[in-house]
Amino acid sequence: MNSLPSFNGLLECLSAARQRVSTRQPRVLASFSTPSPEVEPLTLFSANREHLQPASLWHVKAQAQYRLGLGQAHEFNAGHTESWPTLEARWHALVENAVVHGPHRPALFGGFAFDRQHHRTRLWRDFPDAALTLPRFELHENEGQTRLIVNVLVEQDTPCTQLADNLAREWAEVLARPLPKAHSPADDYVRLSMAHLWKQDVSNAVDWIQRSDLDKVVLARSQNIPVSEPLHEVMQRLLRKQPHAYLFAFARENSCFLGASPECLLTVQGNRLQTMALAGSTPRGKDATDDARLGEQLLASRKDNAEHAMVVASLKECLSQHCLELEIAPRPCLHKLSNIQHLLTPVQGTLAPTASLLAVAESLHPTPAVGGLPRSQALDYIRNHEHLDRGWYAGPVGWMDDRGNCEFAVALRSALLDGHRATLFAGCGLVSGSEPESEYGESDLKMQTMREALARA
């Protein structure tokens, strides 16, 4: 069993929050933090994801940081008619009178559906159109320092002493909870998608692009496979093979959506914004020479550079509405992952003082890399021709605090787990020169990240 952190100060935090309760604000947030002994977050997530929900994990190995959220102090949801900034306004209203004990800031975790106008199926029954969760417990490690954060909404009649004792006992149970017993999948077959039908969809989309004002559209497909590895081992494998990716996992009810995304949608620290244009792909080579050859071909590819330029131009147009200044690299570089390499252009900017994080995210999503251009025409085409419920796939996932800091990735290289089965997702950007066979191969290459992580070699 892990040694317990000190909960000294928790009762004072809860009591101070109760003193701020009023008719105008009948519930006040108490957010307490304390240094925590080092724990293994992937194991803790796997052991507790069915007991304290929603459960969230955000891990960037190359940045030496992770955030693990367990349980729910409060959750903000938005239906298909509400704008994302309304969630941010409700969040700021909640934290306006909060009592924060410790050097941390309370943070929300969650994500958004790719397209809230799209018909939903049972596949994504456990995931709302938008969900940002303030966890009951959060572990936050940054540069080797780990803190346990406890969030509770306190009311006038809250028994603070009893609640403080209960929270300390709950956390002890979290640390002591064993991993679930491993079970072999009931079946081991792969439900193959009809490759020829998807290739025909690609061909039809290219024909449409050539005779309409649609410049690009992204078509996605899925594949259902058995899960033969325990979840914590799946995530460990992803972390080991994708150290620069955004490792994310969101467990809700009977489902768990996880992935290792290479694409940052939006990172903000203070008033500094970072994002990227990521479009144009080719495989990694068999050796260093072959890898360099493929990379040079990608850098020289007229088709891939034209597709990439569309994404850069779209980002510039969107961000100009929210930023005082922008810094965009003049040409793309290669972004090399374990089995694929992309064209990448980093983008930085200074946010305007009145900018809303979720307004920026909403204006960026979906980027041309996952939707298409022009955006509205591409989304209409996807709704009418893509035979798939994307759910949170290719939507924004991540975290945001109450001080204007956030980190959202595009939910790519991902899978939705339901019991011992997983649905994998991948998409390809189609332009006038796209070839169905090549696009199918690229989509399969993108699925390889999760396929290798979920099943024994």
Side-chain angles (χ1 to χ4, degrees):
M1 177 176 172
N2 295 278
S3 56
L4 285 168
S6 168
F7 284 86
N8 290 336
L10 175 58
L11 177 57
E12 288 82 358
C13 179
L14 297 174
S15 300
R18 189 171 61 183
Q19 290 176 3
R20 294 190 184 182
V21 170
S22 65
T23 305
R24 188 179 68 85
Q25 193 161 11
R27 296 195 302 168
V28 173
L29 171 63
S31 187
F32 165 86
S33 73
T34 183
S36 169
E38 185 176 341
V39 299
E40 209 297 296
L42 308 186
T43 301
L44 213 60
F45 176 89
S46 298
N48 289 280
R49 71 181 179 103
E50 295 179 357
H51 301 272
L52 277 171
Q53 289 199 349
S56 309
L57 179 69
W58 183 264
H59 203 322
V60 187
K61 185 176 181 180
Q63 297 177 10
Q65 65 163 303
Y66 73 78
R67 307 185 80 128
L68 167 67
L70 295 171
Q72 175 182 311
H74 191 69
E75 183 169 275
F76 299 93
N77 299 116
H80 64 276
T81 60
E82 291 181 279
S83 68
W84 295 355
T86 61
L87 296 179
E88 191 170 354
R90 285 154 56 192
W91 167 228
H92 287 305
L94 179 68
V95 296
E96 179 183 20
N97 203 31
V99 174
V100 178
H101 182 286
H104 71 287
R105 297 310 307 176
L108 304 177
F109 300 82
F112 302 83
F114 172 79
D115 181 6
R116 291 180 289 170
Q117 307 303 319
H118 194 279
H119 172 69
R120 300 299 295 273
T121 68
R122 277 190 54 77
L123 180 66
W124 290 93
R125 62 191 178 277
D126 297 329
F127 287 79
D129 288 334
L132 292 174
T133 306
L134 176 65
R136 187 170 177 86
F137 298 106
E138 180 195 345
L139 273 177
H140 182 194
E141 181 179 82
N142 188 28
E143 297 179 347
Q145 301 295 316
T146 306
R147 295 192 72 83
L148 169 65
I149 301 164
V150 182
N151 299 302
V152 184
L153 290 181
V154 175
E155 300 178 358
Q156 188 65 59
D157 58 353
T158 296
C160 293
T161 301
Q162 180 182 339
L163 178 57
D165 291 341
N166 289 344
L167 289 166
R169 184 168 57 252
E170 277 186 65
W171 185 247
E173 292 171 355
V174 166
L175 294 177
R177 190 165 281 130
L179 286 166
K181 294 181 179 179
H183 296 283
S184 298
D187 56 70
D188 59 0
Y189 62 91
V190 174
R191 294 172 184 156
L192 294 173
S193 56
M194 304 295 275
H196 67 285
L197 295 179
W198 193 79
K199 291 174 189 177
Q200 185 60 54
D201 288 342
V202 171
S203 181
N204 293 340
V206 173
D207 288 344
W208 185 269
I209 289 169
Q210 292 172 345
R211 56 187 172 86
S212 72
D213 59 355
L214 186 61
D215 297 317
K216 174 185 176 180
V217 66
V218 180
L219 287 188
R221 67 183 186 91
S222 64
Q223 184 181 68
N224 191 274
I225 67 170
V227 179
S228 57
E229 296 286 83
L231 181 58
H232 67 286
E233 293 184 16
V234 170
M235 294 191 293
Q236 286 169 356
R237 192 173 294 126
L238 285 172
L239 205 62
R240 185 170 62 251
K241 290 193 173 185
Q242 312 289 337
H244 296 279
Y246 299 95
L247 175 66
F248 63 86
F250 297 95
R252 301 181 67 90
E253 300 295 337
N254 299 312
S255 306
C256 182
F257 180 51
L258 76 157
S261 175
E263 184 171 352
C264 168
L265 178 74
L266 179 65
T267 296
V268 176
Q269 288 291 327
N271 67 345
R272 291 296 294 168
L273 171 150
Q274 293 183 35
T275 183
M276 62 171 65
L278 192 75
S281 310
T282 196
R284 297 298 302 269
K286 298 185 294 290
D287 52 41
T289 302
D290 188 42
D291 194 58
R293 176 186 63 80
L294 289 169
E296 289 301 319
Q297 286 181 350
L298 180 60
L299 287 168
S301 167
R302 182 176 298 179
K303 170 204 174 267
D304 288 293
N305 275 277
E307 180 186 347
H308 189 85
M310 292 181 195
V311 178
V312 173
S314 176
L315 284 178
K316 183 177 180 180
E317 181 181 357
C318 287
L319 292 174
S320 295
Q321 308 168 42
H322 305 282
C323 292
L324 302 176
E325 59 180 13
L326 284 175
E327 303 156 28
I328 302 176
R331 61 185 63 85
C333 59
L334 290 175
H335 185 49
K336 294 178 180 284
L337 304 171
S338 62
N339 62 341
I340 195 170
Q341 46 191 324
H342 300 282
L343 294 178
L344 183 152
T345 295
V347 178
Q348 298 186 56
T350 302
L351 276 177
T354 57
S356 153
L357 294 184
L358 292 186
V360 178
E362 191 170 40
S363 68
L364 288 174
H365 174 77
T367 69
V370 295
L373 279 173
R375 180 185 290 176
S376 60
Q377 288 94 317
L379 283 174
D380 284 342
Y381 190 92
I382 292 169
R383 288 168 188 152
N384 292 321
H385 296 90
E386 185 177 270
H387 311 293
L388 176 67
D389 178 8
R390 292 194 187 190
W392 282 23
Y393 163 69
V397 293
W399 63 268
M400 62 181 290
D401 68 15
D402 67 327
R403 291 287 175 87
N405 303 305
C406 73
E407 199 165 29
F408 285 98
V410 183
L412 304 175
R413 309 299 190 270
S414 53
L416 179 66
L417 277 62
D418 186 354
H420 297 294
R421 305 291 303 181
T423 302
L424 281 58
F425 302 91
C428 292
L430 309 179
V431 293
S432 181
S434 296
E435 299 175 352
E437 198 67 42
S438 174
E439 299 299 337
Y440 188 84
E442 180 181 318
S443 68
D444 203 57
L445 188 63
K446 290 174 177 176
M447 286 185 182
Q448 189 175 323
T449 298
M450 291 305 304
R451 192 184 296 122
E452 291 179 347
L454 288 164
R456 293 188 183 93

